[in-house]
């Protein structure tokens, strides 16, 4: 596959590792290869120092006061599991009720469904046409037995950014912990766990030009001190919350990726916002009946999700041999179900089946995006002629 011929527009799914990140990681595969928990010798100390430096970089990008509030995991999915199951177990004496919303990532929804099977009560809040929860409904859903609110920072499909600070303030007012899955947000938009009253926050490296298989969970240590029961046992690593030998190269890479993101996030966001706006306008100009999914302004700058009337998005993706975009449908082995996110917006299954997600990033440039829009429009017309 020739890179010059291939246009990657699925940066919400994953991003290529930045060359600067790879460069930072390489020594920790062959030169600094100690176990960060083996601190009886210099090899282990060197690895530990690299891990702690990366912990500081991760804390800095989310505004955490103490690097010790960062627990390294394999990614946001594991972090979500630790947050939900860990809080449910640790605060069982206080309550058994959790609040989330219907458009969460499956990593949260599936945890909540399992918690229901274990006897917990879960409220799944609806969203409006833009994918936002009603803050008054959130307030009404809180009970004396509510222990956790889990609402994602930015939606992975439609890019809508939640009113995180307001949700955090409500949670704090009622003495309820607030967790947010911020995998799509960290390194792309400003995140401040102190200002936004966030108690637990999940993140991954591979959404921000870092390596796959590494992520973290922010766990607040003061005002309030959050207690989380371990989900993985065996050695007491990461303050006993997540045992297992640390992935030192991955951790170093994630720290470097977030350091880079902190330096160029603002400039990147301005560029990507202009790109996605232009692409939407071009799609409307060429195809006419194109609907934007998600909030028109309160959204990730690098995300564009649209529904194109009269097509099945899966068919469109198949037509685009040299362009990587994703559909709004989740495929199983037997059926193609419409996206639970877009379906929740209230527009019906047709709009969900015709949704495509475009995610721009550092591997793109403007002329390439124009070429992609022309190819998408041509493919849509071919499909429409067959209907």
């Amino acid at each position: 596959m020739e890179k010059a011929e291939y246009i990657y527009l699925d940066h919400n799914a994953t991003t290529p590792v930045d060359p600067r990140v790879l460069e930072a990681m390489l020594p920790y595969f062959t030169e600094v290869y100690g176990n960060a928990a083996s601190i009886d010798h210099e090899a282990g100390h060197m690895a530990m120092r690299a891990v702690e430096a990366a912990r500081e970089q991760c804390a800095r990008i989310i505004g955490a006061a103490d690097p010790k509030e960062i627990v390294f995991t394999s990614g946001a999915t594991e972090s979500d599991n630790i947050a939900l199951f860990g809080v449910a177990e640790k605060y069982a004496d206080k309550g058994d009720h959790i609040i989330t919303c219907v458009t969460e990532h499956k990593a949260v929804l599936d945890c909540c469904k399992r918690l229901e099977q274990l006897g917990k009560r879960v409220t799944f809040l609806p969203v409006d046409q833009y994918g936002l929860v009603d803050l008054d409904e959130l307030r009404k859903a809180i009970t004396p037995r509510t222990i956790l609110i889990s609402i994602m920072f930015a939606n992975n499909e439609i890019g809508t950014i939640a009113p995180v600070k307001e949700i955090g303030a409500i949670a704090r007012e009622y003495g309820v912990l607030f967790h947010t899955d911020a995998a799509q947000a960290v390194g792309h938009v400003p995140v401040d766990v102190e200002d936004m009253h966030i108690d637990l926050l999940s993140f991954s490296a591979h959404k921000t030009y870092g390596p796959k298989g590494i992520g973290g969970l922010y766990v607040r240590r003061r005002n309030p001190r959050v207690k989380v029961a371990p989900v993985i046992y065996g050695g007491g690593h990461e303050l006993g919350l997540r045992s297992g030998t640390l992935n030192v190269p991955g951790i170093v890479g994630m720290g470097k990726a977030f350091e880079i993101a902190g330096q160029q996030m603002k400039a990147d966001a301005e560029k990507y916002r202009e790109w996605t706006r232009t692409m939407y306008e071009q799609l409307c100009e060429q195809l006419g009946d194109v609907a934007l999914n998600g909030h028109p302004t309160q959204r990730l700058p690098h995300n564009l999700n649209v529904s194109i009337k009269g097509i099945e998005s899966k068919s469109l993706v198949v037509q685009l041999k040299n362009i990587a975009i994703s559909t709004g449908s989740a495929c199983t082995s037997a059926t193609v179900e419409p996206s639970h996110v877009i379906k929740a917006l209230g527009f019906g299954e047709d709009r969900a089946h015709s949704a495509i997600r475009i995610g721009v990033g550092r591997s793109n440039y403007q002329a390439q995006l124009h070429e992609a829009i022309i190819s998408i429009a041509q493919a849509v017309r071919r499909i429409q002629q067959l209907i």
Side-chain angles (χ1 to χ4, degrees):
M1 183 186 300
E2 294 287 339
K3 282 189 177 180
E5 298 175 356
Y6 192 73
I7 303 175
Y8 184 76
L9 294 174
D10 202 15
H11 288 83
N12 290 114
T14 195
T15 56
V17 173
D18 189 294
R20 293 166 290 181
V21 171
L22 179 60
E23 183 181 4
M25 293 173 65
L26 286 176
Y28 294 90
F29 287 106
T30 58
E31 298 171 29
V32 185
Y33 45 78
N35 186 325
S38 299
I39 54 174
D40 292 334
H41 47 70
E42 181 58 19
H45 268 289
M46 291 173 69
M48 182 190 68
R49 287 194 292 268
V51 165
E52 295 311 313
R55 205 185 300 275
E56 291 179 5
Q57 291 169 318
C58 293
R60 193 174 302 120
I61 195 74
I62 63 171
D66 186 349
K68 291 180 180 178
E69 295 175 312
I70 304 298
V71 176
F72 291 122
T73 69
S74 64
T77 292
E78 183 187 341
S79 298
D80 289 342
N81 275 255
I82 294 173
L84 272 75
F85 287 110
V87 167
E89 179 180 338
K90 202 70 175 180
Y91 291 83
D93 290 342
K94 181 181 178 182
D96 61 355
H97 180 229
I98 294 167
I99 300 172
T100 186
C101 82
V102 294
T103 52
E104 289 294 305
H105 190 279
K106 292 291 186 179
V108 168
L109 293 179
D110 287 352
C111 284
C112 287
K113 290 173 184 176
R114 177 57 181 159
L115 285 168
E116 284 185 314
Q117 293 172 350
L118 296 174
K120 308 297 181 182
R121 297 182 302 113
V122 182
T123 297
F124 296 89
L125 293 173
V127 296
D128 64 15
Q129 63 179 323
Y130 301 121
L132 295 170
V133 297
D134 185 308
L135 296 181
D136 289 334
E137 291 299 314
L138 172 61
R139 282 181 178 275
K140 292 175 185 176
I142 298 172
T143 77
R145 299 285 291 173
T146 304
I147 55 174
L148 181 69
I149 296 169
S150 182
I151 303 289
M152 72 193 318
F153 200 113
N155 189 271
N156 56 302
E157 289 194 35
I158 60 175
T160 294
I161 297 174
V164 178
K165 185 173 181 178
E166 290 83 352
I167 294 171
I170 292 171
R172 189 63 54 86
E173 177 185 346
Y174 285 87
V176 176
L177 296 180
F178 174 37
H179 164 254
T180 186
D181 181 335
Q184 294 286 341
V186 175
H188 295 286
V189 294
V191 177
D192 189 325
V193 294
E194 293 295 336
D195 182 59
M196 297 174 173
H197 312 294
I198 297 168
D199 299 307
L200 301 110
L201 180 144
S202 303
F203 57 88
S204 276
H206 77 103
K207 305 293 187 182
T208 320
Y209 307 93
K212 298 174 182 65
I214 187 67
L217 176 67
Y218 161 78
V219 182
R220 179 178 289 277
R221 289 171 63 90
R222 56 187 293 274
N223 299 325
R225 183 179 182 88
V226 178
K227 300 176 182 179
V228 182
V231 175
I232 297 176
Y233 292 83
H237 304 79
E238 293 300 278
L239 303 178
L241 292 183
R242 200 275 186 182
S243 291
T245 302
L246 291 177
N247 174 4
V248 177
I251 290 169
V252 169
M254 179 164 64
K256 184 64 175 179
F258 287 155
E259 178 187 273
I260 294 168
Q263 294 167 352
Q264 60 186 75
M265 179 171 61
K266 184 177 180 181
D268 282 351
E270 290 175 358
K271 178 171 63 177
Y272 299 155
R273 191 171 286 110
E274 178 63 21
W275 281 359
T276 53
R277 182 190 64 79
T278 300
M279 293 177 84
Y280 177 56
E281 290 175 353
Q282 290 175 342
L283 282 171
C284 291
E285 183 180 321
Q286 297 219 22
L287 298 173
D289 205 345
V290 177
L292 178 69
N293 295 316
H295 199 280
T297 57
Q298 195 172 310
R299 62 184 302 117
L300 292 171
H302 60 299
N303 172 282
L304 176 63
N305 190 306
V306 297
S307 289
I308 303 172
K309 191 172 182 179
I311 66 140
E312 162 58 54
S313 55
K314 187 69 178 176
S315 300
L316 175 59
V317 171
V318 171
Q319 291 267 346
L320 300 171
K321 302 296 184 184
N322 296 318
I323 300 174
I325 62 172
S326 61
T327 72
S329 298
C331 300
T332 66
S333 58
T335 60
V336 178
E337 295 293 335
S339 160
H340 73 282
V341 173
I342 297 177
K343 192 175 178 182
L345 305 182
F347 297 115
E349 291 199 6
D350 286 347
R351 182 149 163 177
H353 275 298
S354 64
I356 60 171
R357 182 184 67 181
I358 297 172
V360 299
R362 293 180 197 163
S363 65
N364 302 132
Y365 51 91
Q366 198 160 17
Q368 188 185 57
L369 302 181
H370 180 66
E371 179 184 339
I373 291 299
I374 292 173
S375 296
I376 291 170
Q378 290 173 343
V380 168
R381 293 190 191 102
R382 285 196 298 269
I383 294 170
Q384 290 173 335
Q385 288 173 0
L386 296 174
I387 299 174

